[in-house]
Amino acid sequence: MNKSFAAIVPMRHFSERVPGKNYRSFNGKPLYHHIINTLSKVTQIDKIIIDTDSPFILEDAKKYFPKVILLERPEHLRDGEIPMNEVLLNTIKQVKADFYLQTHSTNPILSASTIEKSIIAFLDVFPSFDSLFGVTKLHTRLWNDQTQPINHNPNVLLRTQDLPPVFEENSCIYIFTQEILEKKGNRIGYKPMKFEIPKKESWDIDDEDDYLISEYLFKLTNK
């Protein structure tokens, strides 16, 4: 199946929990450099798009990634409360492709190999499955906010590895079409495929602890 893929990396200039995280130094480079370099190695990806309101990223990316498509996010989509799906709808109206793959700069350990495998896995099942999203498999005892067990019986103390797995949406990879996003208003379609990502690669930077742990794991991976 010869289909075009465009990779989208949305980035805001301001970040509440980790100030300036998208362009903060991570192992000697601005954080966003790592995912852009990774995407550049994925042969199935035809276009890479950065959608941002950051003057720094717009200027820096022109210098270091001249082949990347830069879209300056319009004012009405810059607030942190704006749903990501609205940002993506604006992006896909400007850059056409058969499929879109969205990831984040905050997934710096995600590998090109894993991204390639996700694309192959999705094309193998499309159109039976209309979209794909990355997950992390968890074998752990989970409880809801009413202190009720979600995935286990407290009276039967199974080993955690023997518990039925639950899957965390890890925000590392989404694959979808323009039709799905426009009709459903969501990256995840009507018949989505879960794609398991190795736990180490799925680490996402949401706070300062995540930043430190991710940088440590990145250095171990790239020795």
Side-chain angles (χ1 to χ4, degrees), residues 92 98-100 126 130 175-182:
I92 67 172
D98 294 311
F99 299 105
Y100 297 92
F126 181 82
D130 60 10
I175 299 177
F176 53 92
T177 62
Q178 180 173 349
E179 180 182 17
I180 284 296
L181 187 61
E182 290 179 343

Side-chain angles (χ1 to χ4, degrees), residues 170-215:
N170 57 35
S171 297
C172 288
I173 298 174
Y174 297 91
I175 299 177
F176 53 92
T177 62
Q178 180 173 349
E179 180 182 17
I180 284 296
L181 187 61
E182 290 179 343
K183 284 187 175 181
K184 197 167 186 284
N186 199 324
R187 299 166 290 192
I188 299 175
Y190 300 98
K191 295 186 292 182
M193 172 188 177
K194 298 190 303 297
F195 179 78
E196 189 176 339
I197 295 174
K199 184 176 180 180
K200 183 174 69 174
E201 289 189 38
S202 67
W203 206 277
D204 185 59
I205 297 174
D206 279 330
D207 55 34
E208 288 289 344
D209 287 342
D210 292 337
Y211 212 101
L212 294 172
I213 293 167
S214 295
E215 192 167 37

Side-chain angles (χ1 to χ4, degrees), residues 2 8 14 25 40-41 54 58 104 106 129 139 152 177 190 205-206:
N2 188 18
I8 305 172
F14 295 104
S25 179
S40 298
K41 299 173 185 176
S54 171
L58 287 169
H104 293 94
T106 51
F129 291 83
H139 283 280
H152 67 286
T177 62
Y190 300 98
I205 297 174
D206 279 330

Side-chain angles (χ1 to χ4, degrees), residues 17-32 34 56 205 207-208 211-212 215:
R17 288 174 289 183
V18 185
K21 69 178 178 181
N22 288 318
Y23 47 89
R24 177 172 160 180
S25 179
F26 184 95
N27 200 42
K29 296 179 181 179
L31 175 63
Y32 87 93
H34 297 285
F56 175 88
I205 297 174
D207 55 34
E208 288 289 344
Y211 212 101
L212 294 172
E215 192 167 37

